[in-house]
Amino acid sequence: MTKVTDGAVTEAAHVLVAADKFKGSLTAVEVAERVTAGLRLVAPDVTVEALPVADGGDGTVAAAVAAGFERREVRVTGPLGDELTAAYALRDGTAVVEMAEASGLQHLPHGVFAPLTAGTYGSGELLRAALDAGARTIVFGVGGSASTDGGAGMLAALGGRFLDAAGQPVGPGGGGLRDLATVDLSGLDSRIADTDIVLASDVDNPLTGPKGAPAVYGPQKGASPEDVAALDAALAHYARVLEKTIGARAAEAALSPGAGAAGGIGYGALVGLAASFRPGIEVMLDVLGFDAALSRATLVITGEGSLDEQTLHGKAPAGVAAAARARDIEVIAVCGRLALRPEALGRAGIRRAYALTDLEPDPARCMSEAGPLLERMSAGIARDFLV
């Protein structure tokens, strides 16, 4: 049933705000707050329901907490080996674990990268904390990693052993994997076998090769061309050693969608944790109770910092719009920057997009004043669709 026709609401409006973060400016929760405030400036009596969303990357735990999960904190090992506090979310035996909380780029000193030595040990500690808390379903959101270690650090924290020819543990990060001689996964936490682990990611890259983790994402983590080549060779070697340990499925997993996610931690999850891969936004919409919220909506507002070609390939706004379109509910998008033509938006199920750059052409001011600008822009949406 169409709830909005020719720009006018045909029944009592119930607006669902289901947007992702504006990276570097506003969290998903803050986006929802600003949109709500702007709508009510013009339509004070409108019913607005906020459901911040995420696609498995940074902000995933915050979205789960906003949806009613309990926030849990634990001390873990950061990507450079220092101790830090990371959070996961828990509700009714289901945990939402965000690898970026433990092993993300945000934990590196500003301007400092460690493409060869940053590790994911803390992500394994975070998973173990979720198991300790009684989780038997874990949504493992991966993205924004500082490391390219194929998840070896994560598996080591869960009981795996990665040894060189002398029988000593290899060094941290993807660079250490070049010295890998043997892998022993027999000591992995036994609770893993009884736990449903879902690898939630918005990327479907393989582990290595031209579209693999080092080549595509290594430069974002400070990897030079020489580093990329070294990491690609190290991860390929890692997969070969694992194949000797667990058989052909190690080689098959290296080619599987999601293996290259977050510096190859997807590969470690597929091989060592028997995780199943699903697009992150699909998983998170299920976990957050989006379907029930959508059933109450007459208009959906989604969005993220930049609406561009990447948005159309598994990002949160595309997932939200697809679900709303299936119910014939109108979708509006908000963003900082718009790089999609109207016909592309239409194919994605988005009727119209509003960009902060339409109000303020200076990108720096758009970032620094994103909140007030978004509120002002949302007032315009209310004038266009709610009055």
Side-chain angles (χ1 to χ4, degrees), residues 27-38:
T27 66
V29 172
E30 291 169 337
V31 169
E33 290 172 347
R34 291 292 189 164
V35 170
T36 300

mmCIF file with all atom_site columns, all heavy atoms in Angstrom, residues 27-38:
data_model
loop_
_atom_site.group_PDB
_atom_site.id
_atom_site.type_symbol
_atom_site.label_atom_id
_atom_site.label_alt_id
_atom_site.label_comp_id
_atom_site.label_asym_id
_atom_site.label_entity_id
_atom_site.label_seq_id
_atom_site.pdbx_PDB_ins_code
_atom_site.Cartn_x
_atom_site.Cartn_y
_atom_site.Cartn_z
_atom_site.occupancy
_atom_site.B_iso_or_equiv
_atom_site.pdbx_formal_charge
_atom_site.auth_seq_id
_atom_site.auth_comp_id
_atom_site.auth_asym_id
_atom_site.auth_atom_id
_atom_site.pdbx_PDB_model_num
ATOM 1  N N   . THR A 1 27 ? 27.059 10.358 14.470 1.00 0.00 ? 27 THR A N   1
ATOM 2  C CA  . THR A 1 27 ? 26.731 8.952  14.624 1.00 0.00 ? 27 THR A CA  1
ATOM 3  C C   . THR A 1 27 ? 25.328 8.714  14.069 1.00 0.00 ? 27 THR A C   1
ATOM 4  O O   . THR A 1 27 ? 24.565 9.662  13.835 1.00 0.00 ? 27 THR A O   1
ATOM 5  C CB  . THR A 1 27 ? 26.759 8.527  16.097 1.00 0.00 ? 27 THR A CB  1
ATOM 6  O OG1 . THR A 1 27 ? 25.699 9.198  16.792 1.00 0.00 ? 27 THR A OG1 1
ATOM 7  C CG2 . THR A 1 27 ? 28.099 8.893  16.748 1.00 0.00 ? 27 THR A CG2 1
ATOM 8  N N   . ALA A 1 28 ? 24.984 7.460  13.884 1.00 0.00 ? 28 ALA A N   1
ATOM 9  C CA  . ALA A 1 28 ? 23.638 7.146  13.400 1.00 0.00 ? 28 ALA A CA  1
ATOM 10 C C   . ALA A 1 28 ? 22.581 7.632  14.384 1.00 0.00 ? 28 ALA A C   1
ATOM 11 O O   . ALA A 1 28 ? 21.497 8.086  13.977 1.00 0.00 ? 28 ALA A O   1
ATOM 12 C CB  . ALA A 1 28 ? 23.502 5.644  13.162 1.00 0.00 ? 28 ALA A CB  1
ATOM 13 N N   . VAL A 1 29 ? 22.871 7.543  15.676 1.00 0.00 ? 29 VAL A N   1
ATOM 14 C CA  . VAL A 1 29 ? 21.933 8.033  16.689 1.00 0.00 ? 29 VAL A CA  1
ATOM 15 C C   . VAL A 1 29 ? 21.760 9.542  16.552 1.00 0.00 ? 29 VAL A C   1
ATOM 16 O O   . VAL A 1 29 ? 20.633 10.062 16.612 1.00 0.00 ? 29 VAL A O   1
ATOM 17 C CB  . VAL A 1 29 ? 22.427 7.672  18.107 1.00 0.00 ? 29 VAL A CB  1
ATOM 18 C CG1 . VAL A 1 29 ? 21.576 8.351  19.175 1.00 0.00 ? 29 VAL A CG1 1
ATOM 19 C CG2 . VAL A 1 29 ? 22.410 6.150  18.299 1.00 0.00 ? 29 VAL A CG2 1
ATOM 20 N N   . GLU A 1 30 ? 22.861 10.257 16.349 1.00 0.00 ? 30 GLU A N   1
ATOM 21 C CA  . GLU A 1 30 ? 22.786 11.717 16.197 1.00 0.00 ? 30 GLU A CA  1
ATOM 22 C C   . GLU A 1 30 ? 22.051 12.110 14.918 1.00 0.00 ? 30 GLU A C   1
ATOM 23 O O   . GLU A 1 30 ? 21.312 13.108 14.902 1.00 0.00 ? 30 GLU A O   1
ATOM 24 C CB  . GLU A 1 30 ? 24.188 12.313 16.212 1.00 0.00 ? 30 GLU A CB  1
ATOM 25 C CG  . GLU A 1 30 ? 24.856 12.229 17.568 1.00 0.00 ? 30 GLU A CG  1
ATOM 26 C CD  . GLU A 1 30 ? 26.337 12.562 17.534 1.00 0.00 ? 30 GLU A CD  1
ATOM 27 O OE1 . GLU A 1 30 ? 26.965 12.436 16.449 1.00 0.00 ? 30 GLU A OE1 1
ATOM 28 O OE2 . GLU A 1 30 ? 26.881 12.938 18.593 1.00 0.00 ? 30 GLU A OE2 1
ATOM 29 N N   . VAL A 1 31 ? 22.248 11.340 13.840 1.00 0.00 ? 31 VAL A N   1
ATOM 30 C CA  . VAL A 1 31 ? 21.506 11.608 12.602 1.00 0.00 ? 31 VAL A CA  1
ATOM 31 C C   . VAL A 1 31 ? 20.006 11.517 12.873 1.00 0.00 ? 31 VAL A C   1
ATOM 32 O O   . VAL A 1 31 ? 19.227 12.402 12.486 1.00 0.00 ? 31 VAL A O   1
ATOM 33 C CB  . VAL A 1 31 ? 21.918 10.623 11.487 1.00 0.00 ? 31 VAL A CB  1
ATOM 34 C CG1 . VAL A 1 31 ? 20.958 10.741 10.298 1.00 0.00 ? 31 VAL A CG1 1
ATOM 35 C CG2 . VAL A 1 31 ? 23.344 10.891 11.034 1.00 0.00 ? 31 VAL A CG2 1
ATOM 36 N N   . ALA A 1 32 ? 19.587 10.461 13.556 1.00 0.00 ? 32 ALA A N   1
ATOM 37 C CA  . ALA A 1 32 ? 18.165 10.288 13.858 1.00 0.00 ? 32 ALA A CA  1
ATOM 38 C C   . ALA A 1 32 ? 17.640 11.435 14.718 1.00 0.00 ? 32 ALA A C   1
ATOM 39 O O   . ALA A 1 32 ? 16.525 11.929 14.501 1.00 0.00 ? 32 ALA A O   1
ATOM 40 C CB  . ALA A 1 32 ? 17.939 8.948  14.561 1.00 0.00 ? 32 ALA A CB  1
ATOM 41 N N   . GLU A 1 33 ? 18.427 11.864 15.683 1.00 0.00 ? 33 GLU A N   1
ATOM 42 C CA  . GLU A 1 33 ? 17.998 12.956 16.559 1.00 0.00 ? 33 GLU A CA  1
ATOM 43 C C   . GLU A 1 33 ? 17.819 14.253 15.771 1.00 0.00 ? 33 GLU A C   1
ATOM 44 O O   . GLU A 1 33 ? 16.833 14.981 15.971 1.00 0.00 ? 33 GLU A O   1
ATOM 45 C CB  . GLU A 1 33 ? 19.024 13.156 17.670 1.00 0.00 ? 33 GLU A CB  1
ATOM 46 C CG  . GLU A 1 33 ? 19.057 12.025 18.693 1.00 0.00 ? 33 GLU A CG  1
ATOM 47 C CD  . GLU A 1 33 ? 20.202 12.135 19.676 1.00 0.00 ? 33 GLU A CD  1
ATOM 48 O OE1 . GLU A 1 33 ? 21.135 12.942 19.435 1.00 0.00 ? 33 GLU A OE1 1
ATOM 49 O OE2 . GLU A 1 33 ? 20.194 11.411 20.675 1.00 0.00 ? 33 GLU A OE2 1
ATOM 50 N N   . ARG A 1 34 ? 18.765 14.549 14.892 1.00 0.00 ? 34 ARG A N   1
ATOM 51 C CA  . ARG A 1 34 ? 18.689 15.793 14.124 1.00 0.00 ? 34 ARG A CA  1
ATOM 52 C C   . ARG A 1 34 ? 17.543 15.763 13.116 1.00 0.00 ? 34 ARG A C   1
ATOM 53 O O   . ARG A 1 34 ? 16.850 16.768 12.921 1.00 0.00 ? 34 ARG A O   1
ATOM 54 C CB  . ARG A 1 34 ? 20.023 16.032 13.420 1.00 0.00 ? 34 ARG A CB  1
ATOM 55 C CG  . ARG A 1 34 ? 21.172 16.381 14.368 1.00 0.00 ? 34 ARG A CG  1
ATOM 56 C CD  . ARG A 1 34 ? 20.973 17.747 15.008 1.00 0.00 ? 34 ARG A CD  1
ATOM 57 N NE  . ARG A 1 34 ? 22.162 18.156 15.745 1.00 0.00 ? 34 ARG A NE  1
ATOM 58 C CZ  . ARG A 1 34 ? 22.408 19.400 16.142 1.00 0.00 ? 34 ARG A CZ  1
ATOM 59 N NH1 . ARG A 1 34 ? 21.536 20.360 15.874 1.00 0.00 ? 34 ARG A NH1 1
ATOM 60 N NH2 . ARG A 1 34 ? 23.508 19.689 16.806 1.00 0.00 ? 34 ARG A NH2 1
ATOM 61 N N   . VAL A 1 35 ? 17.361 14.631 12.452 1.00 0.00 ? 35 VAL A N   1
ATOM 62 C CA  . VAL A 1 35 ? 16.253 14.517 11.503 1.00 0.00 ? 35 VAL A CA  1
ATOM 63 C C   . VAL A 1 35 ? 14.923 14.692 12.231 1.00 0.00 ? 35 VAL A C   1
ATOM 64 O O   . VAL A 1 35 ? 14.030 15.419 11.775 1.00 0.00 ? 35 VAL A O   1
ATOM 65 C CB  . VAL A 1 35 ? 16.297 13.170 10.761 1.00 0.00 ? 35 VAL A CB  1
ATOM 66 C CG1 . VAL A 1 35 ? 15.021 12.958 9.958  1.00 0.00 ? 35 VAL A CG1 1
ATOM 67 C CG2 . VAL A 1 35 ? 17.514 13.107 9.829  1.00 0.00 ? 35 VAL A CG2 1
ATOM 68 N N   . THR A 1 36 ? 14.784 14.035 13.373 1.00 0.00 ? 36 THR A N   1
ATOM 69 C CA  . THR A 1 36 ? 13.550 14.142 14.153 1.00 0.00 ? 36 THR A CA  1
ATOM 70 C C   . THR A 1 36 ? 13.279 15.587 14.557 1.00 0.00 ? 36 THR A C   1
ATOM 71 O O   . THR A 1 36 ? 12.150 16.089 14.423 1.00 0.00 ? 36 THR A O   1
ATOM 72 C CB  . THR A 1 36 ? 13.635 13.257 15.402 1.00 0.00 ? 36 THR A CB  1
ATOM 73 O OG1 . THR A 1 36 ? 13.819 11.894 15.000 1.00 0.00 ? 36 THR A OG1 1
ATOM 74 C CG2 . THR A 1 36 ? 12.372 13.363 16.244 1.00 0.00 ? 36 THR A CG2 1
ATOM 75 N N   . ALA A 1 37 ? 14.308 16.265 15.048 1.00 0.00 ? 37 ALA A N   1
ATOM 76 C CA  . ALA A 1 37 ? 14.142 17.656 15.474 1.00 0.00 ? 37 ALA A CA  1
ATOM 77 C C   . ALA A 1 37 ? 13.719 18.541 14.310 1.00 0.00 ? 37 ALA A C   1
ATOM 78 O O   . ALA A 1 37 ? 12.843 19.406 14.450 1.00 0.00 ? 37 ALA A O   1
ATOM 79 C CB  . ALA A 1 37 ? 15.443 18.162 16.091 1.00 0.00 ? 37 ALA A CB  1
ATOM 80 N N   . GLY A 1 38 ? 14.335 18.319 13.143 1.00 0.00 ? 38 GLY A N   1
ATOM 81 C CA  . GLY A 1 38 ? 13.992 19.123 11.978 1.00 0.00 ? 38 GLY A CA  1
ATOM 82 C C   . GLY A 1 38 ? 12.573 18.888 11.501 1.00 0.00 ? 38 GLY A C   1
ATOM 83 O O   . GLY A 1 38 ? 11.843 19.833 11.167 1.00 0.00 ? 38 GLY A O   1
#
